[in-house]
Structures are given as structure tokens and as C-alpha cells.
Amino acid sequence: MSSCGSGPVLQTHLSRNAGTNNDLNVSEVRGLLNYKLSCCVNALLQSFSATTELLDILNKWHPSNGTDKSNVPLQLKNILEAMRNKSYPAPYKDFLNCLYRQAIQRWTEQDADEIFHIILSLTQKQIADAVLAQEISSLYEIKLETQVGCLNCKFIQRMPNSLFSLPLAICERENSLENCINSFFQLQKLADSEKVYCEKCEKKQPSTYELKLVSLPPILCVHLKRFRNDDGFPRKLYNKVTFPETFRTAIFAAGQSEAECLSSDEHYSLYAVVVHKGTTVSGHYTAFISPNQEKMWYYADDNCVRPSTWTDVQGTYGGYRQRYGETAYLLLYRKNS
């Protein structure tokens, strides 16, 4: 449960000076109640709300049955509208119940990356408009190519692959986002027990495995894999992982000389961080968001929302001193137009 207490859904009105004493930019971030371990969905909804491109796509869709309680994209559209516009009632329980009916269990600890994929996959599947479904896919889809190389004849099998989030393993030492990305794309020699069938040799051969980047989406979700299973026992890695507020796509360049998507060296800016606090058996999710492409950060802990700073976001890097504290789990970056 949130440490902020319970009560009605709250809107927090926050202001900052936008350059002159008479020019005030007002931001409004809507908090969400924690309905018995719904903090994971709460944090994800804050990230979806900050992804204004998603609601723009959903608003192009006009379903024939506008009251379908089991339709994920419809209920997602309704709650995102409510979070953006306070004149709307907050149909939050409708969205939760919609997920509970077909995808997730009630009153259980959830994994934010798994629920992120479930929501996007069901939204694509149930939107009943192929063009808009493809727009949602294109908004988040990271396109890769899996390459398996035969060490005997050098033949390379190529298979297309796509992901909604980039799953980065972290080492049990200090990490950086760039180092984790380099490790993800590093060529691996498979063990003898993992020989792969070579179409050219017509038998299993010692092989290599490598992922090549094909394209990056407008919204890049990075999954820092902090949970590990050791002989059936789950544990959380609290090791430090530093990440920048902005980066250039050149950080993907190592071993990716053939990637056309890196030729223009574009920039990405961080706008949402889904944070996990606690252990594998007792955890809580919150979120930092920078909505409407502002430079100001806000912290959302269920129904409590407060202004925050980039320094606070950096406090989620992790490390030995932050054991059991808040650690970044999902990073959402937006490609700068």
C-alpha cells in the first residue's frame, strides 16, 4: 500500500515560473488510489499518461460499443482521458476490473514489465482497427535481428525479432545504461550443450548468438532486469545503474555498424521512470514523470503527487546504501522531434 494514506482520487496542482514573473506554466498530475496491491498498474498508468502520443492514437478510435467493460483499449482510453482532464470522472476501477477479468490476478504482487507488455498487447489485439493497432505497435516496437552463426561453415541464420521493452541484464557491480546496452548486443559463443542446427551443414554445430539493432521507436522503454532466479529462489539486485536524462543513439553504435537507424544520431529524453521499492516478496511501485515534455519532474506514489527534481530521479540508481530503497525498473525515453 502507499505510504501516503487513502482517500478520494486526488489532483495535485503544481506551478513553476516559466521565464518571467507574469508567465506561469501550470501542470496538473492526477493521483490514483491503491486498490489492494494495484500500485504496479498505478505507476504504469502514470507513465502512459505522460506518453501523450498513446492517447492521441486512442482518441482516433470510435468503437461501436462505447461501454464495453471488457475492452482494454476502451478502458485505457477512458482512464487516460480522466487523468488528463479533471472534468471527467475517474473510471479507474473499470480499468482494473477489465485487466482482472482477462489478464492479471487480484491482490498479488505484479511485475511492471510483464503488466506493461500485457496492457500493450491487449490494446493492440482488442482495438479492432488494424491501422491504429499498427500505430500503437510502431510507437513502442524495438526491431531487432537475431543472428545465429555456424562456427564450422560461417553460415548465419537471420530471424526478425521485436520487443516492446529492451531487457537489459545488470551485473553485480556498478553499471551504466551504455554498458548494459553494449552487453545486450555483445556476440556470445554458445556452449557445446547449446549447439544449433545449421541448415548448410545439415547438423547441429557449435554456434554464436548475436542481436543486431534494426530500428528504434519514438518511445523507447528500457527494462532494467533487477530480479533474478537463483536455483528457484528469486532475489532482487540492488546494484547501481546510472542512466542519463538525455542520450544520443550513438550509445547503441558498438558492433552496430550496419544499423541504418543510427546514421542520423538522434536524441532521446527521459520522461518517465517506474520505480520498485522493497524486495521480491514485499514491494511497492511508484513513478517519476515529466509530462507534456516539460523540464520539471513529479513523483507519483499512488494517490499522492508532489513536485520533484532530476536529482530525486537520480536517487533511484540503486547501490549498496540504497538496499531495500527505491530503484529504477523501467525507463521511458522519447525521441526528440
PDB file of all heavy atoms in Angstrom, residues 27-51:
ATOM      1  N   SER A  27       1.009  22.757 -14.298  1.00  0.00           N
ATOM      2  CA  SER A  27       0.900  21.334 -14.622  1.00  0.00           C
ATOM      3  C   SER A  27      -0.032  20.672 -13.626  1.00  0.00           C
ATOM      4  O   SER A  27      -0.072  21.039 -12.467  1.00  0.00           O
ATOM      5  CB  SER A  27       2.268  20.668 -14.561  1.00  0.00           C
ATOM      6  OG  SER A  27       3.107  21.164 -15.563  1.00  0.00           O
ATOM      7  N   GLU A  28      -0.762  19.712 -14.097  1.00  0.00           N
ATOM      8  CA  GLU A  28      -1.691  19.003 -13.231  1.00  0.00           C
ATOM      9  C   GLU A  28      -1.466  17.506 -13.410  1.00  0.00           C
ATOM     10  O   GLU A  28      -1.530  16.997 -14.516  1.00  0.00           O
ATOM     11  CB  GLU A  28      -3.136  19.373 -13.570  1.00  0.00           C
ATOM     12  CG  GLU A  28      -3.427  20.854 -13.367  1.00  0.00           C
ATOM     13  CD  GLU A  28      -4.791  21.264 -13.892  1.00  0.00           C
ATOM     14  OE1 GLU A  28      -5.421  20.438 -14.548  1.00  0.00           O
ATOM     15  OE2 GLU A  28      -5.195  22.398 -13.635  1.00  0.00           O
ATOM     16  N   VAL A  29      -1.166  16.819 -12.319  1.00  0.00           N
ATOM     17  CA  VAL A  29      -0.937  15.390 -12.344  1.00  0.00           C
ATOM     18  C   VAL A  29      -1.934  14.737 -11.406  1.00  0.00           C
ATOM     19  O   VAL A  29      -2.064  15.147 -10.255  1.00  0.00           O
ATOM     20  CB  VAL A  29       0.507  15.049 -11.913  1.00  0.00           C
ATOM     21  CG1 VAL A  29       0.728  13.542 -11.944  1.00  0.00           C
ATOM     22  CG2 VAL A  29       1.511  15.756 -12.816  1.00  0.00           C
ATOM     23  N   ARG A  30      -2.635  13.753 -11.883  1.00  0.00           N
ATOM     24  CA  ARG A  30      -3.710  13.151 -11.106  1.00  0.00           C
ATOM     25  C   ARG A  30      -3.235  11.876 -10.431  1.00  0.00           C
ATOM     26  O   ARG A  30      -2.705  10.976 -11.083  1.00  0.00           O
ATOM     27  CB  ARG A  30      -4.888  12.830 -12.026  1.00  0.00           C
ATOM     28  CG  ARG A  30      -6.150  12.437 -11.285  1.00  0.00           C
ATOM     29  CD  ARG A  30      -7.343  12.425 -12.218  1.00  0.00           C
ATOM     30  NE  ARG A  30      -8.584  12.375 -11.485  1.00  0.00           N
ATOM     31  CZ  ARG A  30      -9.777  12.598 -12.012  1.00  0.00           C
ATOM     32  NH1 ARG A  30      -9.875  12.908 -13.287  1.00  0.00           N
ATOM     33  NH2 ARG A  30     -10.872  12.526 -11.287  1.00  0.00           N
ATOM     34  N   GLY A  31      -3.399  11.790  -9.123  1.00  0.00           N
ATOM     35  CA  GLY A  31      -3.039  10.590  -8.383  1.00  0.00           C
ATOM     36  C   GLY A  31      -4.114   9.522  -8.493  1.00  0.00           C
ATOM     37  O   GLY A  31      -5.253   9.786  -8.891  1.00  0.00           O
ATOM     38  N   LEU A  32      -3.746   8.287  -8.141  1.00  0.00           N
ATOM     39  CA  LEU A  32      -4.661   7.148  -8.242  1.00  0.00           C
ATOM     40  C   LEU A  32      -4.624   6.347  -6.944  1.00  0.00           C
ATOM     41  O   LEU A  32      -3.548   6.076  -6.401  1.00  0.00           O
ATOM     42  CB  LEU A  32      -4.263   6.243  -9.414  1.00  0.00           C
ATOM     43  CG  LEU A  32      -4.302   6.875 -10.811  1.00  0.00           C
ATOM     44  CD1 LEU A  32      -3.551   6.007 -11.802  1.00  0.00           C
ATOM     45  CD2 LEU A  32      -5.742   7.085 -11.257  1.00  0.00           C
ATOM     46  N   LEU A  33      -5.784   5.946  -6.478  1.00  0.00           N
ATOM     47  CA  LEU A  33      -5.860   5.149  -5.260  1.00  0.00           C
ATOM     48  C   LEU A  33      -5.203   3.793  -5.446  1.00  0.00           C
ATOM     49  O   LEU A  33      -5.192   3.240  -6.543  1.00  0.00           O
ATOM     50  CB  LEU A  33      -7.319   4.935  -4.859  1.00  0.00           C
ATOM     51  CG  LEU A  33      -8.011   6.048  -4.073  1.00  0.00           C
ATOM     52  CD1 LEU A  33      -9.461   5.665  -3.821  1.00  0.00           C
ATOM     53  CD2 LEU A  33      -7.310   6.292  -2.746  1.00  0.00           C
ATOM     54  N   ASN A  34      -4.680   3.254  -4.366  1.00  0.00           N
ATOM     55  CA  ASN A  34      -4.156   1.891  -4.362  1.00  0.00           C
ATOM     56  C   ASN A  34      -5.276   0.964  -3.910  1.00  0.00           C
ATOM     57  O   ASN A  34      -5.665   0.960  -2.750  1.00  0.00           O
ATOM     58  CB  ASN A  34      -2.960   1.791  -3.405  1.00  0.00           C
ATOM     59  CG  ASN A  34      -2.251   0.452  -3.514  1.00  0.00           C
ATOM     60  OD1 ASN A  34      -2.877  -0.579  -3.714  1.00  0.00           O
ATOM     61  ND2 ASN A  34      -0.946   0.477  -3.353  1.00  0.00           N
ATOM     62  N   TYR A  35      -5.800   0.189  -4.853  1.00  0.00           N
ATOM     63  CA  TYR A  35      -6.865  -0.772  -4.545  1.00  0.00           C
ATOM     64  C   TYR A  35      -6.241  -2.152  -4.332  1.00  0.00           C
ATOM     65  O   TYR A  35      -6.160  -2.962  -5.250  1.00  0.00           O
ATOM     66  CB  TYR A  35      -7.888  -0.829  -5.678  1.00  0.00           C
ATOM     67  CG  TYR A  35      -8.773   0.391  -5.769  1.00  0.00           C
ATOM     68  CD1 TYR A  35      -8.600   1.310  -6.802  1.00  0.00           C
ATOM     69  CD2 TYR A  35      -9.773   0.632  -4.837  1.00  0.00           C
ATOM     70  CE1 TYR A  35      -9.410   2.438  -6.898  1.00  0.00           C
ATOM     71  CE2 TYR A  35     -10.584   1.752  -4.918  1.00  0.00           C
ATOM     72  CZ  TYR A  35     -10.401   2.645  -5.948  1.00  0.00           C
ATOM     73  OH  TYR A  35     -11.199   3.757  -6.041  1.00  0.00           O
ATOM     74  N   LYS A  36      -5.745  -2.389  -3.143  1.00  0.00           N
ATOM     75  CA  LYS A  36      -5.231  -3.702  -2.765  1.00  0.00           C
ATOM     76  C   LYS A  36      -4.174  -4.188  -3.745  1.00  0.00           C
ATOM     77  O   LYS A  36      -4.434  -5.031  -4.604  1.00  0.00           O
ATOM     78  CB  LYS A  36      -6.370  -4.720  -2.636  1.00  0.00           C
ATOM     79  CG  LYS A  36      -7.375  -4.356  -1.548  1.00  0.00           C
ATOM     80  CD  LYS A  36      -8.503  -5.376  -1.436  1.00  0.00           C
ATOM     81  CE  LYS A  36      -9.479  -4.991  -0.340  1.00  0.00           C
ATOM     82  NZ  LYS A  36     -10.610  -5.953  -0.241  1.00  0.00           N
ATOM     83  N   LEU A  37      -2.983  -3.641  -3.644  1.00  0.00           N
ATOM     84  CA  LEU A  37      -1.812  -4.024  -4.432  1.00  0.00           C
ATOM     85  C   LEU A  37      -1.925  -3.618  -5.902  1.00  0.00           C
ATOM     86  O   LEU A  37      -1.398  -4.303  -6.783  1.00  0.00           O
ATOM     87  CB  LEU A  37      -1.553  -5.536  -4.330  1.00  0.00           C
ATOM     88  CG  LEU A  37      -1.248  -6.075  -2.924  1.00  0.00           C
ATOM     89  CD1 LEU A  37      -1.067  -7.583  -2.962  1.00  0.00           C
ATOM     90  CD2 LEU A  37      -0.011  -5.407  -2.339  1.00  0.00           C
ATOM     91  N   SER A  38      -2.587  -2.501  -6.176  1.00  0.00           N
ATOM     92  CA  SER A  38      -2.670  -2.016  -7.558  1.00  0.00           C
ATOM     93  C   SER A  38      -1.588  -0.985  -7.864  1.00  0.00           C
ATOM     94  O   SER A  38      -1.649  -0.305  -8.879  1.00  0.00           O
ATOM     95  CB  SER A  38      -4.050  -1.416  -7.833  1.00  0.00           C
ATOM     96  OG  SER A  38      -4.247  -0.215  -7.096  1.00  0.00           O
ATOM     97  N   CYS A  39      -0.579  -0.873  -6.992  1.00  0.00           N
ATOM     98  CA  CYS A  39       0.449   0.153  -7.186  1.00  0.00           C
ATOM     99  C   CYS A  39       1.203  -0.040  -8.499  1.00  0.00           C
ATOM    100  O   CYS A  39       1.649   0.933  -9.112  1.00  0.00           O
ATOM    101  CB  CYS A  39       1.422   0.174  -6.013  1.00  0.00           C
ATOM    102  SG  CYS A  39       2.326  -1.378  -5.760  1.00  0.00           S
ATOM    103  N   CYS A  40       1.359  -1.274  -8.948  1.00  0.00           N
ATOM    104  CA  CYS A  40       2.069  -1.540 -10.207  1.00  0.00           C
ATOM    105  C   CYS A  40       1.310  -0.921 -11.377  1.00  0.00           C
ATOM    106  O   CYS A  40       1.891  -0.218 -12.211  1.00  0.00           O
ATOM    107  CB  CYS A  40       2.214  -3.051 -10.411  1.00  0.00           C
ATOM    108  SG  CYS A  40       2.982  -3.513 -11.968  1.00  0.00           S
ATOM    109  N   VAL A  41       0.003  -1.146 -11.438  1.00  0.00           N
ATOM    110  CA  VAL A  41      -0.820  -0.560 -12.502  1.00  0.00           C
ATOM    111  C   VAL A  41      -0.848   0.958 -12.370  1.00  0.00           C
ATOM    112  O   VAL A  41      -0.792   1.682 -13.366  1.00  0.00           O
ATOM    113  CB  VAL A  41      -2.249  -1.150 -12.471  1.00  0.00           C
ATOM    114  CG1 VAL A  41      -3.130  -0.492 -13.527  1.00  0.00           C
ATOM    115  CG2 VAL A  41      -2.205  -2.659 -12.699  1.00  0.00           C
ATOM    116  N   ASN A  42      -0.908   1.462 -11.134  1.00  0.00           N
ATOM    117  CA  ASN A  42      -0.891   2.912 -10.909  1.00  0.00           C
ATOM    118  C   ASN A  42       0.340   3.557 -11.534  1.00  0.00           C
ATOM    119  O   ASN A  42       0.255   4.561 -12.241  1.00  0.00           O
ATOM    120  CB  ASN A  42      -0.900   3.221  -9.410  1.00  0.00           C
ATOM    121  CG  ASN A  42      -2.223   2.918  -8.744  1.00  0.00           C
ATOM    122  OD1 ASN A  42      -3.163   2.485  -9.394  1.00  0.00           O
ATOM    123  ND2 ASN A  42      -2.292   3.134  -7.451  1.00  0.00           N
ATOM    124  N   ALA A  43       1.508   2.983 -11.234  1.00  0.00           N
ATOM    125  CA  ALA A  43       2.759   3.549 -11.750  1.00  0.00           C
ATOM    126  C   ALA A  43       2.799   3.490 -13.274  1.00  0.00           C
ATOM    127  O   ALA A  43       3.239   4.438 -13.940  1.00  0.00           O
ATOM    128  CB  ALA A  43       3.952   2.802 -11.159  1.00  0.00           C
ATOM    129  N   LEU A  44       2.324   2.377 -13.856  1.00  0.00           N
ATOM    130  CA  LEU A  44       2.299   2.260 -15.317  1.00  0.00           C
ATOM    131  C   LEU A  44       1.339   3.262 -15.934  1.00  0.00           C
ATOM    132  O   LEU A  44       1.628   3.849 -16.987  1.00  0.00           O
ATOM    133  CB  LEU A  44       1.914   0.837 -15.720  1.00  0.00           C
ATOM    134  CG  LEU A  44       2.990  -0.227 -15.489  1.00  0.00           C
ATOM    135  CD1 LEU A  44       2.424  -1.615 -15.742  1.00  0.00           C
ATOM    136  CD2 LEU A  44       4.203   0.023 -16.373  1.00  0.00           C
ATOM    137  N   LEU A  45       0.191   3.477 -15.305  1.00  0.00           N
ATOM    138  CA  LEU A  45      -0.761   4.458 -15.831  1.00  0.00           C
ATOM    139  C   LEU A  45      -0.168   5.864 -15.814  1.00  0.00           C
ATOM    140  O   LEU A  45      -0.436   6.661 -16.718  1.00  0.00           O
ATOM    141  CB  LEU A  45      -2.071   4.419 -15.035  1.00  0.00           C
ATOM    142  CG  LEU A  45      -3.016   3.268 -15.377  1.00  0.00           C
ATOM    143  CD1 LEU A  45      -4.201   3.248 -14.414  1.00  0.00           C
ATOM    144  CD2 LEU A  45      -3.519   3.379 -16.821  1.00  0.00           C
ATOM    145  N   GLN A  46       0.632   6.170 -14.800  1.00  0.00           N
ATOM    146  CA  GLN A  46       1.290   7.480 -14.794  1.00  0.00           C
ATOM    147  C   GLN A  46       2.230   7.601 -16.001  1.00  0.00           C
ATOM    148  O   GLN A  46       2.308   8.658 -16.644  1.00  0.00           O
ATOM    149  CB  GLN A  46       2.072   7.686 -13.490  1.00  0.00           C
ATOM    150  CG  GLN A  46       1.203   7.808 -12.248  1.00  0.00           C
ATOM    151  CD  GLN A  46       0.348   9.073 -12.224  1.00  0.00           C
ATOM    152  OE1 GLN A  46       0.485   9.954 -13.066  1.00  0.00           O
ATOM    153  NE2 GLN A  46      -0.549   9.152 -11.249  1.00  0.00           N
ATOM    154  N   SER A  47       2.935   6.516 -16.317  1.00  0.00           N
ATOM    155  CA  SER A  47       3.833   6.559 -17.477  1.00  0.00           C
ATOM    156  C   SER A  47       3.044   6.646 -18.777  1.00  0.00           C
ATOM    157  O   SER A  47       3.433   7.358 -19.705  1.00  0.00           O
ATOM    158  CB  SER A  47       4.752   5.327 -17.479  1.00  0.00           C
ATOM    159  OG  SER A  47       4.073   4.158 -17.881  1.00  0.00           O
ATOM    160  N   PHE A  48       1.924   5.923 -18.867  1.00  0.00           N
ATOM    161  CA  PHE A  48       1.076   6.002 -20.068  1.00  0.00           C
ATOM    162  C   PHE A  48       0.460   7.399 -20.208  1.00  0.00           C
ATOM    163  O   PHE A  48       0.321   7.915 -21.317  1.00  0.00           O
ATOM    164  CB  PHE A  48      -0.036   4.951 -20.013  1.00  0.00           C
ATOM    165  CG  PHE A  48       0.422   3.547 -20.278  1.00  0.00           C
ATOM    166  CD1 PHE A  48      -0.002   2.497 -19.480  1.00  0.00           C
ATOM    167  CD2 PHE A  48       1.273   3.255 -21.341  1.00  0.00           C
ATOM    168  CE1 PHE A  48       0.410   1.194 -19.719  1.00  0.00           C
ATOM    169  CE2 PHE A  48       1.696   1.960 -21.594  1.00  0.00           C
ATOM    170  CZ  PHE A  48       1.264   0.926 -20.772  1.00  0.00           C
ATOM    171  N   SER A  49       0.089   7.995 -19.070  1.00  0.00           N
ATOM    172  CA  SER A  49      -0.491   9.333 -19.109  1.00  0.00           C
ATOM    173  C   SER A  49       0.521  10.349 -19.616  1.00  0.00           C
ATOM    174  O   SER A  49       0.178  11.287 -20.345  1.00  0.00           O
ATOM    175  CB  SER A  49      -0.980   9.732 -17.709  1.00  0.00           C
ATOM    176  OG  SER A  49      -1.509  11.037 -17.704  1.00  0.00           O
ATOM    177  N   ALA A  50       1.791  10.170 -19.233  1.00  0.00           N
ATOM    178  CA  ALA A  50       2.841  11.069 -19.705  1.00  0.00           C
ATOM    179  C   ALA A  50       3.207  10.818 -21.167  1.00  0.00           C
ATOM    180  O   ALA A  50       3.832  11.662 -21.806  1.00  0.00           O
ATOM    181  CB  ALA A  50       4.086  10.920 -18.824  1.00  0.00           C
ATOM    182  N   THR A  51       2.793   9.659 -21.693  1.00  0.00           N
ATOM    183  CA  THR A  51       3.009   9.336 -23.107  1.00  0.00           C
ATOM    184  C   THR A  51       1.816   9.869 -23.890  1.00  0.00           C
ATOM    185  O   THR A  51       0.892   9.134 -24.242  1.00  0.00           O
ATOM    186  CB  THR A  51       3.169   7.816 -23.307  1.00  0.00           C
ATOM    187  OG1 THR A  51       4.110   7.296 -22.367  1.00  0.00           O
ATOM    188  CG2 THR A  51       3.635   7.493 -24.731  1.00  0.00           C
TER     189      THR A  51
END
